[in-house]
Amino acid sequence: MAAAQGRLSDGADGMDDTQEGDGDGIGAAPPAFQAAVQALRGSRLRPQIEVEPTRAPKRLAPFAYALEAAVVDGEQDLADGRLVLLHDPAGHDAWRGTFRLVTLVRAELEPEMAADPLLPEVCWSWLTGALSARGLSYGEPSGTVTRASSHYFGGLAERPAASQIEIRASWTPREGLGGVPDTSAHLAAWCDLLAQVAGLPPAGPGDASVVTLPQRRGPQQSR
């Protein structure tokens, strides 16, 4: 199974605006942030999901830590995403807390699935359902669900039309003992979201409550 490892930087909803950080400065970070990052690093994930560290955007918080992940089936990537943990020891009015999780998740869809009028609502329910199924408490959720289609012409006319779903979201994880949120459980819920978007079956009985759409591809088997 994949264990999450990583680096430090800053950032937030400017998920596309990454910059090189100043190395792994976790030793100089507040203890609560250090503990939250260590929990992410020690997380054990389902084998279809490959996780690795990445640079976090450097805009909206004094401390941040980022991971990127892909749902892999053989040589094929079924979905990919990025999760950023933000921390502002002074607190943030919009977050109503000192931590914030920000995510971007993307996947290719079959055209008929992309045309489903309920797709945005269902995709948002995948996120909230994944958090609820893990028994996680959180606040101030916000986000967007975007679907896009590409049609090819001229020299590219032989390519089939392609459709993509993109989920951008953020939420405030409730802080526990020592002011540290259960980041490992939030990472597991985020991976449940990735699996849903990729069309994988639930990893366990607790995931069965998450609303599903028809499989994006043929049924996948858990490894």
Side-chain angles (χ1 to χ4, degrees), residues 2 13 37 59 67 71 73 75 78 85-86 92 115 134 136 146 148 156 161 164 168 170 173 175 188 194 198 203 208:
D13 209 12
V37 169
R59 293 256 176 133
L67 297 170
V71 182
D73 181 25
E75 298 296 319
L78 304 182
L85 174 69
L86 304 175
H92 195 294
R134 296 269 175 185
L136 293 169
T146 304
L156 301 177
Q164 185 181 71
R168 291 176 180 260
S170 62
E175 298 166 13
L194 273 173

Side-chain angles (χ1 to χ4, degrees), residues 133-220:
R134 296 269 175 185
L136 293 169
S137 179
Y138 63 96
E140 309 306 316
S142 64
T144 62
V145 177
T146 304
R147 51 185 164 187
S149 297
S150 298
H151 300 267
Y152 300 95
F153 302 94
L156 301 177
E158 293 184 359
R159 292 189 184 183
S163 299
Q164 185 181 71
I165 190 72
E166 180 181 276
I167 303 170
R168 291 176 180 260
S170 62
W171 65 96
T172 298
R174 294 305 182 207
E175 298 166 13
L177 187 64
V180 182
D182 188 352
T183 51
S184 179
H186 281 272
L187 175 59
W190 181 69
C191 288
D192 294 341
L193 169 65
L194 273 173
Q196 286 289 123
V197 172
L200 296 181
D207 299 328
S209 63
V210 180
V211 179
T212 60
L213 284 175
Q215 295 294 314
R216 186 169 58 86
R217 294 178 172 81
Q220 307 289 328

Side-chain angles (χ1 to χ4, degrees), residues 110-130:
E110 297 297 337
E112 59 271 20
M113 185 176 177
D116 190 323
L118 297 179
L119 180 67
E121 289 79 5
V122 171
C123 287
W124 184 253
S125 78
W126 285 343
L127 171 61
T128 58

